[in-house]
Amino acid sequence: MLVLGIETSCDETAVALVADGEKVRANVIGSQVEHHRPFGGVVPEIAARAHLELLVPSLDAALTEGGCTYRDVDAVAVTVGPGLAGALLVGVAAAKALALAHDLPLIGVNHLEGHVYATQLEFGRLHLPVVALVVSGGHTSIVLLGADGSFTTLGATVDDAAGEAFDKVARFLGLPYPGGPEIDRLAQEGDPAAIRFPRAMLHDGTYDFSLSGLKTAVVRELRRRDAAGTEVWLPDVAASFTEALVEVQVTKTVAAAVAHDVPTVALVGGVASNSRLRAAMAAACARAGLRLLAPSPVLCTDNGAMIAAAGYNRLAAGERTALDVAADPNLGLGTVPTAPAA
Ligand code: KG4
Ligand code: ZN
């Protein structure tokens, strides 16, 4: 079954073709970074307008890359939420039009579920149960996918998302948007033990996170050094900040998997491309005897292939989404609006 996946929830206009929920035939990702860089972050109105411009060329490019036409496509999967309202609307409207025009089933996908199912594109069918650390620009959660495919959020950030923390600290350090990859690069040359930043909520017995204090600690430390005339080596700041964030995320994720007797951990979402997070999670999972599924960075950041993969699973389970489905900026995990199969 060939599924066309459309993702427009934030600042990536992405279209992909995936066969049987696992084999990527085309993966077109139109980045809008240049549109948003002058503003230091994603501007919702600009994102929606850029999706309008980029979506049709991206659909054409995906069909060309996949060497097929709409006649070869069996279903259309689209992100219905969570995300930016205007941005989601563009993808949802296009998916509905394609489903109607080509008489194809439509399946609405939760963006976070998409991130989790990105693992299928690299490691084959996801064997449940799994504990997933979903870390992106808008979300930071530890999620338990039960053996029945259900989603339970075990914990989440109580303030900033991890990507948000990376982007805000990067902006403070004078690095260009998006800051996550910039901090990752800078941290390679730094000493992660140079500055001991706080590890909030590390031993509080929950699976929740708090990241705004860490961001503030970075700002305060830089101001303190500046006032004292102490030289600041930015790579040390980047590496030390990353280390504090990573230690809490890795410790809690592994603890959640062990406590729930789950043998597999998935590391997904844009921040899962971070090299230190990947290395630390791999080491911790190996120590705990857990299998780690961490997709390649291109499948961690927003893409249409992950939406097609998640959509395929729901279609295979007999689910269909009604054509009057609305984009939902606040869609919760496990609550994709679906209509029974016709
Ligand atoms: O999943 P994603 O592409 O979009 C959302 O759903 O939010 O995640 C984007 C976030 C941004 O905050 C970006 O700075 C961060 O992922 N990111 C990284 C890295 N690559 C992307 N953060 C840390 N290290 C990276 N290598
Ligand atoms: Zn995302």
Side-chain angles (χ1 to χ4, degrees):
M1 181 191 263
L2 190 66
V3 178
L4 176 75
I6 300 176
E7 153 62 38
T8 66
S9 69
C10 191
D11 62 340
E12 242 86 50
T13 311
V15 180
L17 287 162
V18 174
D20 304 326
E22 296 175 15
K23 296 177 267 297
V24 181
R25 297 272 185 261
N27 195 13
V28 174
I29 304 168
S31 170
Q32 302 179 3
V33 162
E34 296 311 323
H35 290 75
H36 302 286
R37 184 167 284 145
F39 304 95
V42 178
V43 182
E45 180 63 18
I46 292 177
R49 282 167 193 261
H51 285 309
L52 267 179
E53 277 169 34
L54 292 170
L55 190 51
V56 172
S58 301
L59 285 162
D60 291 344
L63 289 172
T64 305
E65 194 177 309
C68 58
T69 71
Y70 283 114
R71 268 198 293 280
D72 304 307
V73 174
D74 298 300
V76 181
V78 64
T79 305
V80 290
L84 303 170
L88 287 166
L89 209 63
V90 178
V92 170
K96 285 180 186 178
L98 288 172
L100 194 65
H102 300 285
D103 195 21
L104 295 170
L106 175 73
I107 191 82
V109 173
N110 182 301
H111 181 79
L112 302 180
E113 190 172 323
H115 273 305
V116 173
Y117 279 96
T119 51
Q120 276 196 175
L121 302 165
E122 216 157 290
F123 306 102
R125 193 160 177 78
L126 191 58
H127 294 290
L128 302 174
V130 166
V131 161
L133 175 65
V134 185
V135 268
S136 72
H139 299 270
T140 296
S141 324
I142 296 179
V143 176
L144 171 64
L145 275 86
D148 58 354
S150 61
F151 282 82
T152 308
T153 300
L154 301 176
T157 180
V158 297
D159 39 55
D160 290 351
E164 202 179 344
F166 269 101
D167 293 341
K168 284 179 178 171
V169 166
R171 200 178 315 160
F172 187 75
L173 299 182
L175 302 170
Y177 168 85
E182 296 289 332
I183 292 202
D184 197 352
R185 256 190 298 278
L186 210 57
Q188 315 284 327
E189 301 154 41
D191 173 8
I195 308 165
R196 177 82 191 169
F197 286 123
R199 273 78 167 150
M201 301 172 86
L202 180 56
H203 299 298
D204 70 348
T206 74
Y207 301 119
D208 292 329
F209 306 100
S210 171
L211 289 162
S212 74
L214 173 58
K215 173 195 66 195
T216 311
V218 173
V219 172
R220 206 178 298 133
E221 179 66 16
L222 286 183
R223 289 206 174 122
R224 192 186 65 76
R225 288 182 180 220
D226 193 37
T230 320
E231 213 183 309
V232 182
W233 172 238
L234 285 189
D236 280 353
V237 179
S240 301
F241 158 74
T242 303
E243 198 60 23
L245 183 144
V246 163
E247 186 181 334
V248 183
Q249 311 240 321
V250 169
T251 304
K252 292 203 174 202
T253 305
V254 170
V258 171
H260 289 83
D261 203 17
V262 169
T264 311
V265 166
L267 175 59
V268 296
V271 180
S273 343
N274 183 269
S275 53
R276 179 61 194 136
L277 178 56
R278 297 172 78 86
M281 190 68 91
C285 283
R287 275 196 303 274
L290 302 167
R291 181 172 185 227
L292 174 64
L293 306 176
S296 303
V298 70
L299 296 172
C300 285
T301 44
D302 291 349
N303 63 85
M306 69 186 199
I307 302 305
Y312 169 83
N313 278 43
R314 288 191 170 265
L315 286 158
E319 289 184 30
R320 302 287 183 273
T321 301
L323 276 180
D324 62 355
V325 65
D328 181 353
N330 302 311
L331 187 69
L333 251 184
T335 57
V336 170
T338 54

